[in-house]
Amino acid sequence: MAALSVKELASLLSVLSEDSTDAQSFESLANTFHHYFTNKHDHFKVGQAIVLLLQHRDLLPHPTQKLAAIFILYEMYKSEPMAANPFATVFIHLLQETDHKEPSPYDLPTHIAPITASERYFLSYLVSNGSKEMLKHTPTQILKMDVSNKQPLDISHTQLFIVQRQSEMPHTSKTAINCVLSDPETKSNNFDQFGKATMINPDIQRQTVESLLTGIKSVADKTLRPDFIRLAPPLHIAEDEMAWLIPSDSEFNIAWDTTLCVNTSTGVEIRRLMAKAFKGALPPHQQQQIKKELDKDSKLVYNIGLCPPKLPDLVENNPLVAIDVLLKLMSSTQITDYFHVLVNMEMSLHSMEVVNRLTTQVELPSEFIHLYISNCISTCEAHKDRYFQNRLVRLTCVFLQSLIRNKTINVRDIFIEVQAFCIEFSRIREAAALFRLLKTMDSL
């Protein structure tokens, strides 16, 4: 694991100090912890340090310190599912203890001392994601809580998820033990009934913690694991397998691979051309190349990098390519999204050309055509610049005349809206001509 800096270790020990854990609520402890450790990337190495402290009772001698340390392991990953907490196995280990027993100094170094019934109730409360009401208590209050009459919380479902997640890990990840061992000379009477060390020099304790958890590489990172033994592969599988290493011929002819570095993927080339088409106008031969390949394989249109948000750029830069592509997408379930973008994009000569060409080759939904016409009319009416307004009105009138003459739309469906438009811009010759055409088609 990555070693803690001296400053980070001092902050962690400050959070887990006996004074802090005696007086502060769990909410306050969480706020203090997040004040010191704002970067979530540091949480894993902090959690590993806490686990080491929990494994050695003399490093966190007071019961409130131990309970606060367990809470911090939960707090760091509370926003994620419990099964995703990298220290979930610690919770399972503690919750599986059924009876609180006298700790022994000869327990395995990876063993965490059992917890009391009140601590187990509090931990199961955290694992089951209960309300935050209990977090307003202090660790001392939890330790003194009488839980003999409280109904145990059902966390079997969460435990099952955690166990299943652990079962997916390779067996080699579970074979190592930490090289930090407890002193076998420690007498059992140095710990009271709660596992608290009774005679520990604070300076020696802090020096020990610093030597374990700080430095260029943490001592706690050193583990003992068995060697993974496997057979060495044979040098030769067959007698003549490596004969090519000693060629017998003295003369050699160089053979050049003519296909080397030549892109044979049509899809890649079309995507490259389409990427250029979104940014600028393509020369005619490249436009024809796209059309030719799309005609060969109609499904290729789904793999050329086009999506609805990119359609306006394609329409403005290469309207003919946009027409070919939209015709191939007519049977797609996404065509409605493309119509929606086309209707709402800024009105221009190219967008009108695309819509007009589409109406002559396929039957477009009448709702789409009516929406596009309404968008054109509202754009003309909203434009403030007189010169550009007149230009847009002329384009719209020519576009509408083409739709009417080709019988793409029913004149009666748009008569009132288009008539009002023609009257508003009657000063423009094309609008007057469109008005006369409306009257003529309406009288038929």
Side-chain angles (χ1 to χ4, degrees):
M1 82 181 181
L4 295 176
S5 66
V6 176
K7 181 180 179 181
E8 289 173 333
L9 179 59
S11 300
L12 177 60
L13 294 180
S14 174
V15 175
L16 299 178
S17 66
E18 185 174 342
D19 293 338
S20 296
T21 56
D22 271 341
Q24 295 189 63
S25 67
F26 289 100
E27 287 183 345
S28 299
L29 288 173
N31 293 334
T32 305
F33 174 80
H34 290 301
H35 171 74
Y36 288 125
F37 299 96
T38 56
N39 191 347
K40 290 186 177 181
H41 297 294
D42 295 332
H43 287 180
F44 183 70
K45 68 177 182 180
V46 173
Q48 286 184 302
I50 291 176
V51 171
L52 179 72
L53 296 176
L54 288 171
Q55 289 172 342
H56 300 276
R57 295 183 298 278
D58 51 347
L59 301 182
L60 286 180
H62 199 274
T64 58
Q65 292 178 287
K66 176 184 173 182
L67 185 57
I70 296 172
F71 168 71
I72 294 299
L73 289 180
Y74 161 80
E75 173 66 23
M76 290 189 295
Y77 297 93
K78 67 177 181 179
S79 60
E80 301 179 15
M82 182 54 61
N85 189 317
F87 305 102
T89 51
V90 176
F91 305 144
I92 295 299
H93 168 75
L94 294 173
L95 290 171
Q96 283 176 343
E97 297 287 346
T98 55
D99 296 314
H100 180 64
K101 61 182 180 179
E102 182 74 17
S104 169
Y106 299 101
D107 285 334
L108 290 175
T110 55
H111 179 78
I112 299 177
I115 57 179
T116 63
S118 58
E119 289 174 310
R120 189 178 300 111
Y121 179 81
F122 176 72
L123 181 55
S124 62
Y125 176 87
L126 294 180
V127 172
S128 61
N129 292 320
S131 64
K132 298 182 179 180
E133 191 65 30
M134 192 174 289
L135 300 184
K136 296 179 181 179
H137 294 75
T138 65
T140 303
Q141 291 173 328
I142 295 297
L143 291 170
K144 294 180 179 179
M145 181 186 297
D146 182 13
V147 296
S148 57
N149 296 325
K150 292 185 179 295
Q151 187 72 18
L153 299 175
D154 183 16
I155 57 170
S156 57
H157 187 67
T158 304
Q159 286 178 307
L160 178 62
F161 269 109
I162 297 174
V163 172
Q164 287 177 343
R165 183 181 179 88
Q166 292 298 315
S167 66
E168 297 172 358
M169 298 177 63
H171 292 289
T172 53
S173 66
K174 309 173 186 177
T175 56
I177 63 172
N178 201 301
C179 288
V180 181
L181 303 178
S182 299
D183 183 3
E185 297 297 326
T186 304
K187 297 180 180 179
S188 59
N189 58 9
N190 283 357
F191 298 89
D192 62 15
Q193 61 176 339
F194 296 106
K196 175 184 175 183
T198 57
M199 296 179 293
I200 298 178
N201 188 317
D203 294 333
I204 296 177
Q205 178 186 350
R206 190 175 187 89
Q207 290 173 9
T208 303
V209 174
E210 288 184 359
S211 63
L212 290 174
L213 299 176
T214 62
I216 298 176
K217 187 176 182 182
S218 170
V219 176
D221 187 37
K222 297 180 180 179
T223 56
L224 179 66
R225 62 178 67 242
D227 293 332
F228 185 70
I229 302 175
R230 51 189 171 184
L231 296 175
L235 293 178
H236 303 281
I237 298 176
E239 293 182 359
D240 59 345
E241 180 188 7
M242 303 184 74
W244 60 273
L245 290 177
I246 310 175
S248 57
D249 297 335
S250 58
E251 296 182 1
F252 308 97
N253 294 323
I254 297 176
W256 181 255
D257 185 359
T258 56
T259 63
L260 190 65
C261 298
V262 174
N263 187 1
T264 58
S265 174
T266 303
V268 173
E269 178 63 16
I270 295 300
R271 284 196 294 271
R272 185 185 68 82
L273 292 178
M274 287 297 296
K276 293 175 59 179
F278 297 136
K279 299 177 181 178
L282 295 178
H285 73 277
Q286 290 184 339
Q287 296 184 32
Q288 286 299 318
Q289 182 180 355
I290 294 176
K291 176 177 172 53
K292 180 179 177 182
E293 296 300 337
L294 290 178
D295 290 341
K296 284 183 182 179
D297 184 4
S298 60
K299 294 183 179 179
L300 187 61
V301 72
Y302 301 106
N303 299 303
I304 59 176
L306 177 66
C307 58
K310 292 184 178 180
L311 182 61
D313 292 334
L314 184 62
V315 169
E316 291 303 324
N317 293 312
N318 295 277
L320 296 180
V321 175
I323 293 169
D324 291 332
V325 169
L326 288 173
L327 289 174
K328 293 293 187 298
L329 288 169
M330 281 300 165
S331 59
S332 168
T333 56
Q334 276 192 312
I335 191 60
T336 304
D337 297 332
Y338 286 102
F339 284 159
H340 180 74
V341 171
L342 196 57
V343 164
N344 292 284
M345 69 176 289
E346 187 176 352
M347 171 191 167
S348 66
L349 174 61
H350 286 171
S351 68
M352 287 185 176
E353 180 183 1
V354 169
V355 174
N356 191 38
R357 287 282 296 275
L358 288 176
T359 58
T360 60
Q361 298 190 48
V362 294
E363 184 177 353
L364 297 179
S366 57
E367 296 84 359
F368 162 72
I369 300 177
H370 293 162
L371 283 174
Y372 188 77
I373 293 173
S374 299
N375 181 38
C376 292
I377 291 175
S378 60
T379 302
C380 292
E381 293 172 345
H383 215 290
K384 302 300 181 183
D385 188 286
R386 188 69 173 266
Y387 172 77
F388 284 105
Q389 186 185 53
N390 292 344
R391 184 170 179 270
L392 292 176
V393 170
R394 292 190 182 96
L395 288 174
T396 303
C397 291
V398 173
F399 171 68
L400 290 173
Q401 288 182 49
S402 174
L403 294 179
I404 294 173
R405 289 196 174 96
N406 293 328
K407 297 182 179 180
T408 304
I409 55 175
N410 190 332
V411 175
R412 292 180 175 83
D413 293 339
I414 61 170
F415 184 83
I416 297 176
E417 186 178 12
V418 176
Q419 178 180 249
F421 171 74
C422 293
I423 294 173
E424 181 179 358
F425 297 101
S426 58
R427 67 180 185 280
I428 299 175
R429 182 179 58 204
E430 287 79 4
L434 176 61
F435 184 77
R436 290 193 295 272
L437 178 62
L438 279 177
K439 290 295 186 181
T440 301
M441 297 299 295
D442 188 52
S443 62
L444 295 178

